[in-house]
Amino acid sequence: MNQRASLRGGAVLALIIGFVPSLLFLVGGFVGGAYIDQRFPEYVPFIGHHSTGRVDLTQVEEAARYIQADYVDTNVDPKKLSQASVQGLVSSLGDPYTIYFDPSQYKRLQQSYQGKYTGIGIYVSFSTTGYPTITGTVPGSPAAASGLKAGDQVVKVGDKDVKGLTAEQATALIQGPEGTQVTLTIMRGSQTLTFTITRAQIQVPTVRSATVGDRVLYVRIYQFGSATSTEFATALKTGLPGARAVILDLRGDPGGFISAADDVITQFVTSGETFETHGRNGVDRHQVGSQHAAPAVPLAVLVDANSASAAEIVAGSLQVHNRAKLVGTTTFGKGSVQEDFELSDGSDIHLTVERWFLPNGQTIDHKGLTPDVPVKLASASDEYDVAQPSLGYARDGQLNAALALLTGG
């Protein structure tokens, strides 16, 4: 399994371009997947590396012929028919984490892996029954400049009501080309507000740090991106001298690259497994690396319902190794792995190919991690914003519980 794989999940989305939550991605080798060309062949071989089975698409071909020959409008787009057929195959699996991306969506997704976004710069949590809630804004972003705040509920994007929409659906509405505008209807307490925001290119750091309490190094990882290992190592190198303890904040972190998760664990653990994956090809056991910047520093990890996938790997592995206590609420519970299969037209299938397990063999899928110190926040706006440290953390009960745990205060 490629080490530069990507583990994403959860219900939080950086709506800057379309950073995709609720997924556990492998992005190392872009190999072939289930392929359908525009001629709708009767049988389509699966040309990935797991199976040589054949898929009978006779009915797909028949339906396409009927549509092209007899549909009332003559301007039927064969490319759209082809893409819809792939979407149908994906949907038939009944797997919410196997997703089809058209070429433009996939291009934006690849940009998000590099931490480059075109959008407004908000982090959002999602509910299947309620409205998306903004959990923070990117410093210097159009969203921050417009006055959007953590705790704001997004009611409409343009004239589209977004109650219960998935992260992917909301992303498609909010993202867009640089320089274009998007209008959000926001519920803030009893107020209904309207914001018209111009989209922009944004480069987002995945790690921010500060000193809190009595010489405690606070490090927040927003996502496990391609630069996270370097950014995290730098944060430790800069902040550890003189620090008596570390708080690692993984709240709202939807996941990211396997390699980054391994590297973060390795900074605190000196030996053993970080995690393992189980798939058709057997078991792949990931081992702790060699760079241990903080093997003995007291450590607490903040988690919440939107900590997912790679974030859960890090938090769970540190908990299993008895290296850290978890503080917060039960995590999202995402234990499957998706791999990118790029199709010939530039579109992509994120296909579930494995499931991952903690070093003790346990899965957190559909269960999440249980914190050692359960603490709820009254509001998402109570979270400490390390990008605006002057606001303080007096209302952040989870952070203060971690401080008390580490310093005995």
Side-chain angles (χ1 to χ4, degrees):
M1 188 59 59
N2 194 293
Q3 294 294 303
R4 200 169 180 275
S6 167
L7 302 163
R8 293 187 180 176
V12 170
L13 176 62
L15 280 176
I16 310 160
I17 170 176
F19 175 68
V20 182
S22 306
L23 301 177
L24 183 50
F25 293 151
L26 292 170
V27 298
F30 297 116
V31 297
Y35 168 68
I36 302 177
D37 69 13
Q38 294 181 16
R39 294 171 298 164
F40 302 94
E42 181 177 355
Y43 289 96
V44 177
F46 179 77
I47 57 174
H49 48 266
H50 294 311
S51 172
T52 57
R54 297 167 70 88
V55 180
D56 185 351
L57 294 176
T58 303
Q59 288 74 35
V60 174
E61 182 184 8
E62 291 173 346
R65 285 200 299 263
Y66 284 131
I67 291 170
Q68 290 181 304
D70 297 309
Y71 181 62
V72 63
D73 294 330
T74 59
N75 59 340
V76 175
D77 187 340
K79 180 177 290 187
K80 287 184 178 180
L81 286 180
S82 178
Q83 291 180 345
S85 299
V86 180
Q87 178 64 70
L89 287 175
V90 169
S91 299
S92 72
L93 298 175
D95 178 2
Y97 304 119
T98 292
I99 297 176
Y100 171 75
F101 291 100
D102 67 30
S104 62
Q105 291 171 330
Y106 184 46
K107 183 178 180 180
R108 291 193 293 268
L109 179 63
Q110 289 177 301
Q111 291 176 328
S112 78
Y113 291 149
Q114 309 304 319
K116 299 175 182 178
Y117 305 96
T118 302
I120 63 174
I122 57 177
Y123 298 96
V124 182
S125 65
F126 288 84
S127 166
T128 56
T129 58
Y131 288 105
T133 300
I134 296 174
T135 60
T137 60
V138 177
S141 68
S146 74
L148 288 175
K149 299 179 179 179
D152 287 348
Q153 288 188 303
V154 183
V155 178
K156 289 184 179 180
V157 178
D159 59 359
K160 174 71 173 180
D161 188 286
V162 295
K163 185 175 184 179
L165 290 190
T166 66
E168 291 77 23
Q169 291 168 330
T171 302
L173 292 173
I174 295 179
Q175 68 189 14
E178 182 179 8
T180 61
Q181 292 186 327
V182 61
T183 299
L184 304 184
T185 301
I186 297 294
M187 183 70 70
R188 182 180 293 169
S190 60
Q191 293 181 292
T192 300
L193 307 172
T194 300
F195 295 80
T196 298
I197 305 171
T198 301
R199 302 176 177 102
Q201 286 283 343
I202 305 169
Q203 183 76 38
V204 184
T206 64
V207 178
R208 292 184 185 272
S209 62
T211 298
V212 297
D214 182 12
R215 295 182 292 113
V216 175
L217 175 61
Y218 168 95
V219 185
R220 180 153 195 168
I221 302 178
Y222 294 98
Q223 65 186 48
F224 289 85
S226 58
T228 300
S229 296
T230 300
E231 292 176 357
F232 189 72
T234 299
L236 293 182
K237 182 178 181 180
T238 302
L240 278 177
R244 61 185 293 191
V246 174
I247 293 175
L248 176 59
D249 193 345
L250 299 178
R251 292 176 296 185
D253 187 329
F257 288 119
I258 286 176
S259 57
D262 281 336
D263 290 344
V264 169
I265 295 167
T266 293
Q267 298 285 6
F268 300 106
V269 178
T270 58
S271 63
E273 280 189 18
T274 53
F275 73 106
E276 59 189 48
T277 56
H278 297 194
R280 290 193 184 186
N281 292 335
V283 178
D284 184 12
R285 305 182 190 278
H286 291 250
Q287 300 296 319
V288 168
S290 59
Q291 302 298 317
H292 317 299
V297 178
L299 174 66
V301 180
L302 300 180
V303 294
D304 65 10
N306 294 315
S307 304
S309 291
E312 290 176 295
I313 285 176
V314 171
S317 186
L318 292 173
Q319 186 182 47
V320 168
H321 280 285
N322 295 313
R323 185 61 189 84
K325 298 292 187 182
L326 307 189
V327 180
T329 58
T330 302
T331 61
F332 183 79
K334 176 66 171 60
S336 61
V337 180
Q338 281 69 43
E339 183 171 352
D340 273 311
F341 290 82
E342 185 176 1
L343 306 185
S344 63
D345 66 346
S347 61
D348 176 68
I349 297 176
H350 289 294
L351 186 68
T352 299
V353 294
E354 290 181 317
R355 304 193 187 280
W356 66 264
F357 295 78
L358 291 169
N360 62 1
Q362 297 297 309
T363 178
I364 55 85
D365 202 31
H366 302 297
K367 298 184 296 185
L369 295 164
T370 301
D372 300 285
V373 182
V375 181
K376 292 183 179 181
L377 287 183
S379 169
S381 62
D382 291 342
E383 276 190 20
Y384 172 56
D385 185 354
V386 65
Q388 303 181 73
S390 62
L391 299 178
Y393 50 87
R395 296 188 301 170
D396 192 336
Q398 293 169 337
L399 175 54
N400 282 290
L403 284 169
L405 179 68
L406 292 170
T407 63

